C-alpha cells in the first residue's frame, strides 16, 4: 500500500487522466462549448513574456537591459563592484552579450542597484 501525500485519490486521478486524453492526443481544445476555451492572443499583443513592454515611440533598450540584469543578478548580488557582478553572471550562466555589457562597467565603482548598473552603461530609461 502506498501512503503518500497525494491530494487526490487514485480513482479521481484516473478520471482526470481520462478526461484529458482527447486534448493530449488531438493537440487542440476538445470542448463542445467554445466559451470554455481561453481566448487566443491577438496579432498586435505585445510580447510581455520576453521582457518589459517599451513605451510608445521608444526602443526600450534601457528597460530590456535592466530586465535582463535584474533577472540574472537578483537582489542578493548587491552591493557589488564590476568583478563581483561578473562572477555572479558567470555563475548563473548569463548570456555572453550580458557579460560583455558588464565588462564595460567602470572597475572603480560599487553598484547598489540594477538601475545604477544600467545608468553606468550610459542607458537611460525612456520617459
Amino acid at each position: 500500500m502506498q501512503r503518500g501525500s497525494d491530494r487526490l485519490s487514485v480513482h479521481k486521478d484516473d478520471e482526470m487522466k481520462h478526461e484529458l486524453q482527447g486534448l493530449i492526443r488531438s493537440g487542440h481544445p476538445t470542448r463542445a462549448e467554445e466559451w470554455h476555451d481561453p481566448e487566443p492572443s491577438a496579432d498586435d499583443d505585445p510580447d510581455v513574456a520576453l521582457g518589459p513592454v517599451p513605451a510608445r515611440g521608444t526602443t526600450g533598450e534601457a528597460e530590456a537591459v535592466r530586465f535582463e540584469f535584474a533577472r540574472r543578478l537578483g537582489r542578493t548580488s548587491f552591493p557589488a563592484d564590476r568583478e563581483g557582478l561578473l562572477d555572479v553572471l558567470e555563475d548563473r550562466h548569463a548570456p555572453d552579450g550580458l557579460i560583455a555589457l558588464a565588462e564595460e562597467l567602470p572597475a572603480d565603482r560599487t553598484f547598489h542597484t540594477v538601475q545604477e548598473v544600467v545608468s553606468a552603461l550610459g542607458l537611460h530609461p525612456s520617459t
Side-chain angles (χ1 to χ4, degrees):
M1 173 189 288
Q2 178 183 4
R3 293 182 183 235
S5 61
D6 295 335
R7 286 184 336 137
L8 306 172
S9 69
V10 175
H11 301 292
K12 183 67 175 171
D13 193 31
D14 288 340
E15 181 182 334
M16 290 172 68
K17 285 180 188 175
H18 179 70
E19 289 175 2
L20 289 174
Q21 282 302 318
L23 174 64
I24 292 169
R25 288 185 180 166
S26 68
H28 58 82
T30 57
R31 295 189 170 108
E33 293 88 12
E34 188 176 277
W35 58 272
H36 281 295
D37 297 331
E39 187 174 325
S41 61
D43 293 336
D44 59 347
D45 283 349
D47 288 330
V48 293
L50 302 177
V53 179
R56 286 189 178 194
T58 64
T59 60
E61 182 182 7
E63 289 86 355
V65 170
R66 184 178 64 218
F67 175 78
E68 287 302 321
F69 271 119
R71 197 173 108 188
R72 303 291 178 173
L73 294 172
R75 293 181 183 176
T76 58
S77 303
F78 295 99
D81 59 356
R82 179 181 69 183
E83 295 306 316
L85 294 176
L86 285 170
D87 290 342
V88 172
L89 289 171
E90 288 173 7
D91 288 345
R92 295 184 181 170
H93 306 290
D96 293 337
L98 204 59
I99 292 174
L101 279 174
E103 288 172 345
E104 295 176 14
L105 292 169
D108 59 341
R109 188 166 165 200
T110 300
F111 303 97
H112 299 280
T113 64
V114 173
Q115 186 60 46
E116 288 180 14
V117 171
V118 174
S119 295
L121 291 170
L123 300 171
H124 301 287
S126 56
T127 55

